[in-house]
Amino acid sequence: FVLSGCQAMESGSTRSRSTPTDAMTQLASVLPGDFDNHEQIARDSGRVEALHVQHSLRLVDRGREEITWLWRLHSEGKQQRDAIWFTRAHQAADGRHVRIVLYRSIDPAAARAQFAEAAQPFHFDPAQWAELDACAENGQWDGAKFSSAADSTACSALLPGLGDDAALLPLRLSTDADMIRVATFSDLSRGADAVEEARRVRWFSGWAAINGGGPRATAANQDWHMQNGLRLSSEGGRVALHWRDGAPSGYSLELERTSYPERKLSVLQLNVIDDSSSKTLTYVWTDMHANAIGVNLGWLQGGFTEQAAKPAAAP
């Protein structure tokens, strides 16, 4: 009994000591990557739409009780915006709570250039970044889910000095499997609980061949126009198809993860788009976890395979 009690105490002590690093390790493992709320935009079409935002999170440094990353938010639509935040997450002494502080770049163009150089180590220069302590988020883990939120009232005082970046300033963040849910200041117009539901992007590479005769091409027509090195994201990635002289063919391919609630079905779907009308002519689908998808319509053929994820973690 005494021996087993000592073992239990030792085990509990070990767990207690490892908790701080576990919280940071979890956060460092789930955040890096690309995320897109394409499916949410498609689902809410015709209603009050969420802002279509693409999130790219690049881990910069990882320590025992602190991690840092660059967070790029790019919005599509009537007003395209782009903002990059340097983000620092610090583990609290209790091993559960996390404080996330954002920094705004003094020179946005330089920040975009640094972010684009993913292969180069990022060096944080305090003179180039302004700390937004009033917009800090406090959060914690609950099982496999992490949630954090800022005081929007206190943070609002900083908005006049942020310019266009203010619209893409994150106020809330939560992670759940391959989803991140983010609320920015631009989302407040849709209600206090409005969030962007963005899914982790998977990248596919492949090829396409389109017949010069188009949809009416006969089997005897061998006028094939080939395109190699195509790249599509799983969250609404689209590529235009061209003739061999570079002129647009009038058709595009789009890859998306989509759901059919009435059939309780979620799939990975490859759409053939008529560019003149933006309508889907036809599509093929497969299991949402599949790592390859192809299409053969006779006049149009193509195939795509998932690329291995690039390492996003800092050394």
Side-chain angles (χ1 to χ4, degrees), residues 234-249:
S234 60
E235 304 302 316
R238 184 180 293 197
V239 61
L241 301 180
H242 298 89
W243 303 123
R244 65 173 61 91
D245 62 1
S249 69

Side-chain angles (χ1 to χ4, degrees), residues 7-66:
Q7 290 173 340
M9 290 174 62
E10 181 180 357
S11 176
S13 175
T14 301
R15 285 195 298 269
S16 177
R17 288 196 302 270
S18 65
T19 299
T21 56
D22 289 345
M24 289 291 97
T25 298
Q26 279 184 276
L27 203 57
S29 67
V30 300
L31 283 183
D34 300 317
F35 299 81
D36 192 304
N37 67 332
H38 169 80
E39 185 175 1
Q40 180 187 27
I41 298 301
R43 184 187 66 221
D44 294 345
S45 178
R47 294 183 286 173
V48 179
E49 296 185 0
L51 189 68
H52 184 189
V53 177
Q54 297 161 342
H55 303 262
S56 295
L57 294 94
R58 173 187 163 196
L59 195 61
V60 171
D61 194 19
R62 178 172 56 196
R64 174 179 170 81
E65 297 182 358
E66 181 179 278

Side-chain angles (χ1 to χ4, degrees), residues 24-25 38 50 71 80 85 104 113 116 119 124 133 157 166 187 195 209 244 273 275 279-280 293 299:
M24 289 291 97
T25 298
H38 169 80
W71 188 351
Q80 290 195 9
W85 311 98
R104 177 182 180 244
F124 176 72
D133 189 66
D187 294 308
V195 295
R244 65 173 61 91
I273 308 293
D275 293 340
K279 292 184 178 179
T280 299
I293 189 169
W299 65 277

Side-chain angles (χ1 to χ4, degrees), residues 269-290:
Q269 184 167 299
L270 183 63
N271 302 317
V272 179
I273 308 293
D274 181 346
D275 293 340
S276 62
S277 64
S278 295
K279 292 184 178 179
T280 299
L281 297 180
T282 188
Y283 61 87
V284 293
W285 58 267
T286 185
D287 180 83
M288 63 183 179
H289 300 299

Side-chain angles (χ1 to χ4, degrees), residues 290-306:
N291 59 12
I293 189 169
V295 60
N296 187 344
L297 303 178
W299 65 277
L300 174 62
Q301 302 172 27
F304 294 85
T305 304
E306 184 176 5

Side-chain angles (χ1 to χ4, degrees), residues 23-33 56-72 84-91 98-103 115 120-126 129 131 173 312-315:
M24 289 291 97
T25 298
Q26 279 184 276
L27 203 57
S29 67
V30 300
L31 283 183
S56 295
L57 294 94
R58 173 187 163 196
L59 195 61
V60 171
D61 194 19
R62 178 172 56 196
R64 174 179 170 81
E65 297 182 358
E66 181 179 278
I67 61 172
T68 57
W69 67 90
L70 289 173
W71 188 351
R72 176 179 181 263
I84 295 179
W85 311 98
F86 177 77
T87 315
R88 173 174 280 123
H90 182 77
Q91 175 70 56
V98 176
R99 181 174 174 81
I100 299 176
V101 180
L102 277 72
Y103 294 73
F115 188 88
Q120 299 298 321
F122 173 81
H123 173 67
F124 176 72
D125 182 356
W129 297 86
E131 182 178 353
L173 165 69

